[in-house]
């Protein structure tokens, strides 16, 4: 199996599905973590959020604090320390990325998460 976007070989445990495409974690994160022009609602709501109410859920605050202290961290490390599932982490990470508080980055072969401006 190969990533539909960048063509990297995929292992069955790090395959991501997005809009019917099979993607590697990088490409998947690019798509879900970056507001795109084709998704005006996401861009709109993210901008609105960051201007009017920079309010995070308790879980999002925990994720952000964890990244602040230990960055960069992998999703596994974050999930382990917070006792959440990876899908929980992802859905909570997306708003942090939209608000430009945190972002994904590459550390060697691993995808890690770090503060947006670090
Ligand atoms: Zn890819």
């Amino acid at each position: 199996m190969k990533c539909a976007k960048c063509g990297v070989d995929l292992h069955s445990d790090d395959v991501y599905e997005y809009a019917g495409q099979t993607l590697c974690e990088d490409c998947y994160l690019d798509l879900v973590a970056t507001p795109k022009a084709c998704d005006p609602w996401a861009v709109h709501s993210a901008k609105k959020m960051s201007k009017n109410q920079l309010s995070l859920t308790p879980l999002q605050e925990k994720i952000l604090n964890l990244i602040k202290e230990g960055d960069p961290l992998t999703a596994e490390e974050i999930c382990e320390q917070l006792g959440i599932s990876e899908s929980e982490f992802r859905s909570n990470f997306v708003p942090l990325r939209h608000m430009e508080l945190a972002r994904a980055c590459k550390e060697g072969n691993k995808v890690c998460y770090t503060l947006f401006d670090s």
Side-chain angles (χ1 to χ4, degrees):
M1 221 185 315
K2 282 185 190 302
C3 170
K5 238 183 136 200
C6 69
V8 77
D9 285 319
L10 296 173
H11 302 285
S12 56
D13 57 343
D14 52 32
V15 169
Y16 296 86
E17 295 277 342
Y18 188 83
Q21 290 184 307
T22 307
L23 300 170
C24 70
E25 182 164 32
D26 269 4
C27 294
Y28 173 80
L29 283 171
D30 269 7
L31 283 172
V32 297
T34 313
K36 288 271 167 30
C38 63
D39 191 359
W41 185 86
V43 176
H44 179 74
S45 60
K47 276 185 183 153
K48 217 171 142 191
M49 243 193 304
S50 56
K51 265 186 195 152
N52 297 343
Q53 40 154 162
L54 202 67
S55 65
L56 303 173
T57 68
L59 184 55
Q60 286 160 359
E61 271 176 32
K62 279 188 200 166
I63 292 171
L64 197 61
N65 284 334
L66 209 58
I67 293 172
K68 257 182 216 166
E69 286 163 21
D71 80 300
L73 291 167
T74 63
E76 278 166 19
E77 288 167 330
I78 293 169
C79 292
E80 201 182 286
Q81 293 193 50
L82 295 179
I84 57 174
S85 70
E86 198 155 324
S87 60
E88 245 179 313
F89 165 68
R90 281 178 204 288
S91 57
N92 280 282
F93 183 79
V94 170
L96 296 178
R97 175 62 184 78
H98 281 176
M99 286 184 257
E100 301 193 341
L101 294 170
R103 63 183 170 86
C105 65
K106 270 276 206 182
E107 289 286 314
N109 289 325
K110 286 191 200 161
V111 178
C112 291
Y113 299 88
T114 187
L115 292 181
F116 189 81
D117 48 10
S118 76

